[in-house]
Amino acid sequence: MNALAATNRNFKLASRLLGLDSKLEKSLLIPFREIKVECTIPKDDGTLQSYIGFRVQHDNARGPMKGGIRYHPEVDPDEVNALAQLMTWKTAVANIPYGGAKGGIGCNPSELSISELERLTRVFTQKIHDLIGTHMDVPAPDMGTGPQTMAWILDEYSKFHGYSPAVVTGKPIDLGGSLGRDAATGRGVLFATEALLNENGKSISGQRFVIQGFGNVGSWAAQLIDEKGGKIVAVSDITGAIKNKKGIDIPSLLKYTKENKGVKGFHGADSIDSNSILLEDCDVLIPAALGGVINRENANEIKAKFIVEAANHPTDPDADEILKKKGVVILPDIYANSGGVTVSYFEWVQNIQGFMWDEEKVNNELKNYMTKGFKDVKDMCKTHECDLRMGAFSLGVNRVARATVLRGWEA
Ligand SMILES: NC(=O)C1=CN([C@@H]2O[C@H](COP(=O)(O)OP(=O)(O)OC[C@H]3O[C@@H](n4cnc5c(N)ncnc54)[C@H](OP(=O)(O)O)[C@@H]3O)[C@@H](O)[C@H]2O)C=CC1
Ligand SMILES: O=C(O)CCC(=O)C(=O)O
């Protein structure tokens, strides 16, 4: 099932749980606006190369639309649509005053030079600058993008609209980025995992973790879980997968990946088949890379007791059903990885206030939001006698539906 069909299915199940009117259901499902732009840039060798960029603005009932921009070869309109919709429910679950959006460019950033990436980002911004803005749609980093990408967007946007730091979040600190945003998604994953384990009479310390993806989210989650005494027994990235039953030395791995651009070849662990990373024996599995990786092909073989979805849409609905029967507890993406957008909200607030918070305040506030989010999701599970995914979806969809009805449709 593709990402959009899967997301629509989860939305419709939640809508039925809530008893939403079918017309309201339809209006919540259809995106507010879908943008597709051609981005042609001269490559460093003088030849021209064209790329397609997307921005899907799904819903703005609760506030400006918000969501990352992804640079990846597999970016396609259906996936961006699904990810934009997930952002709408995610910002509502986190209870921050935003709607949802997502963007992407179909490209392989590892094959582009820094100056080619800068040209591509600037051309994309030129094409969408009228449709984003501090109170309209606020992009942020996602896979293949980061603070430097946000700095280029900020600069290009400001040429048209005047200096506007709050038009993007996840910026470098020197340009108004928030302390703690870089680590925020991984830190949110830590807080979410702690909440889930505590509820099950366990703690991070003593649990065995497997993490797929060692980029922004995966590496921060690994570092913070390691600092709390969790044992990380296997990790992977695009270069390969490694395993050490006794626990991987994460500080050494972080140093190694900076120097070697990947986990492959790390001396303190054995190399394993990348395809088997999700099937490794562990207590908690944390997918932190691509979507759709847990599906009907592999769900039966998963050994973890808990899955914490740091990636967006890592679990296919077929796999959800199989894992539920096996008794595996899944903490869904729209709650588990909401730490990133929550600190993006803090960054936006700081930019608008013109006042910078210290990192302790950012991290404490993030913990408050993640703790409250877990309680709100659990309350919905109790009310609707459903699993955590439906608890999170029904929480998010209900908040957006209420805002939509309150705003009304009068022309
Ligand atoms: N950044 C954020 O704030 C947020 C991100 N997310 C989600 O988290 C996930 C990861 O994003 P982020 O960490 O920002 O992205 P990054 O680009 O920083 O990292 C992605 C990681 O995934 C690895 N990867 C790519 N393809 C594969 C593969 N086939 N198998 C194993 N690993 C792979 C990459 O390897 P390599 O580096 O070697 O290419 C890299 O380690 C995405 O689903 C994203 O949507 C969710 C909420 C917020
Ligand atoms: O920080 C943000 O605004 C969005 C992050 C994001 O893209 C996500 O949560 O998937």
Side-chain angles (χ1 to χ4, degrees):
M1 198 181 290
N2 87 1
L4 185 56
T7 306
N8 288 347
R9 178 184 177 275
N10 285 331
F11 162 77
K12 283 182 183 156
L13 286 174
S15 162
R16 308 278 144 83
L17 270 186
L18 294 163
L20 292 190
D21 168 81
S22 64
K23 300 247 172 25
L24 175 59
E25 178 181 300
K26 193 170 174 191
S27 114
L28 291 177
L29 202 55
I30 299 170
F32 170 82
R33 187 191 278 138
E34 294 176 69
I35 305 156
K36 178 178 174 183
V37 292
E38 166 266 331
C39 303
T40 299
I41 56 157
K43 301 275 296 249
D44 292 345
D45 64 6
T47 60
L48 289 181
Q49 182 76 44
S50 296
Y51 301 90
I52 300 188
F54 303 94
R55 184 77 180 165
V56 175
Q57 299 173 330
H58 177 256
D59 193 277
N60 63 0
R62 301 182 73 257
M65 293 167 284
K66 188 86 190 81
I69 293 182
R70 178 177 286 199
Y71 288 180
H72 193 275
E74 281 163 32
V75 162
D76 73 54
D78 268 9
E79 190 196 37
V80 181
N81 243 299
L83 294 169
Q85 189 192 140
L86 285 173
M87 286 307 306
T88 299
W89 317 135
K90 187 186 303 184
T91 54
V93 167
N95 215 1
I96 53 179
Y98 287 138
K102 200 85 173 196
I105 300 182
C107 66
N108 188 344
S110 66
E111 288 173 1
L112 294 175
S113 69
I114 296 290
S115 53
E116 288 167 343
L117 282 170
E118 177 172 354
R119 285 197 286 279
L120 182 57
T121 305
R122 286 186 186 279
V123 170
F124 182 53
T125 310
Q126 286 161 18
K127 301 273 167 103
I128 65 166
H129 75 89
D130 270 339
L131 300 169
I132 59 172
T134 303
H135 297 288
M136 194 182 339
D137 177 6
V138 183
D142 191 76
M143 277 185 94
T145 58
Q148 180 60 72
T149 328
M150 297 306 115
W152 292 325
I153 297 177
L154 158 59
D155 186 65
E156 200 59 30
Y157 179 88
S158 296
K159 287 179 190 165
F160 295 93
H161 302 274
Y163 185 60
S164 316
V167 69
V168 283
T169 59
K171 299 177 287 289
I173 306 294
D174 288 331
L175 288 176
S178 177
L179 295 168
R181 173 60 184 91
D182 194 38
T185 311
R187 194 178 296 280
V189 167
L190 169 79
F191 293 147
T193 309
E194 270 177 333
L196 178 69
L197 290 175
N198 290 348
E199 210 225 359
N200 285 274
K202 301 174 194 300
S203 63
I204 297 275
S205 162
Q207 299 295 303
R208 294 164 307 139
F209 295 80
V210 166
I211 303 180
Q212 181 191 45
F214 208 66
N216 171 276
V217 180
S219 67
W220 272 110
Q223 183 174 331
L224 296 167
I225 287 168
D226 178 66
E227 285 169 8
K228 284 272 177 180
K231 192 191 279 187
I232 292 147
V233 294
V235 301
S236 72
D237 65 11
I238 199 81
T239 66
I242 55 169
K243 167 181 174 177
N244 182 342
K245 269 189 184 169
K246 292 191 187 135
I248 296 170
D249 177 348
I250 296 297
S252 300
L253 180 62
L254 288 165
K255 190 164 173 282
Y256 179 88
T257 52
K258 271 199 190 88
E259 286 159 6
N260 297 277
K261 303 218 175 322
V263 303
K264 190 178 175 193
F266 178 63
H267 46 81
D270 299 323
S271 167
I272 55 169
D273 178 2
S274 293
N275 295 322
S276 72
I277 182 94
L278 300 168
L279 315 179
E280 285 299 322
D281 191 18
C282 64
D283 302 301
V284 185
L285 173 61
I286 305 186
L290 293 172
V293 291
I294 303 175
N295 48 49
R296 74 159 81 145
E297 310 294 324
N298 59 12
N300 253 320
E301 294 173 72
I302 284 181
K303 297 174 192 69
K305 300 174 193 72
F306 301 96
I307 297 177
V308 177
E309 295 186 336
N312 283 307
H313 170 59
T315 313
D316 194 70
D318 292 334
D320 254 342
E321 292 305 317
I322 296 168
L323 291 161
K324 201 191 286 181
K325 284 194 192 118
K326 275 165 59 100
V328 179
V329 177
I330 304 178
L331 200 55
D333 46 8
I334 57 173
Y335 164 68
N337 70 33
S338 65
V341 73
T342 300
V343 176
S344 276
Y345 165 54
F346 301 159
E347 180 173 327
W348 182 78
V349 166
Q350 291 171 73
N351 294 154
I352 289 169
Q353 280 186 323
F355 183 81
M356 197 166 171
W357 300 1
D358 64 30
E359 195 166 351
E360 200 184 343
K361 178 171 165 79
V362 171
N363 293 344
N364 287 343
E365 287 292 339
L366 174 60
K367 184 159 191 175
N368 290 340
Y369 272 78
M370 295 305 298
T371 307
K372 177 74 167 55
F374 189 75
K375 187 185 170 300
D376 290 351
V377 170
K378 287 298 297 183
D379 285 350
M380 286 306 261
C381 293
K382 215 181 270 171
T383 306
H384 296 291
E385 294 178 350
C386 61
D387 62 14
L388 288 161
R389 188 175 316 280
M390 273 309 113
F393 263 82
S394 55
L395 176 65
V397 171
N398 196 34
R399 283 179 175 158
V400 179
R402 282 204 317 251
T404 306
V405 171
L406 282 167
R407 289 180 66 158
W409 285 270
E410 279 301 310

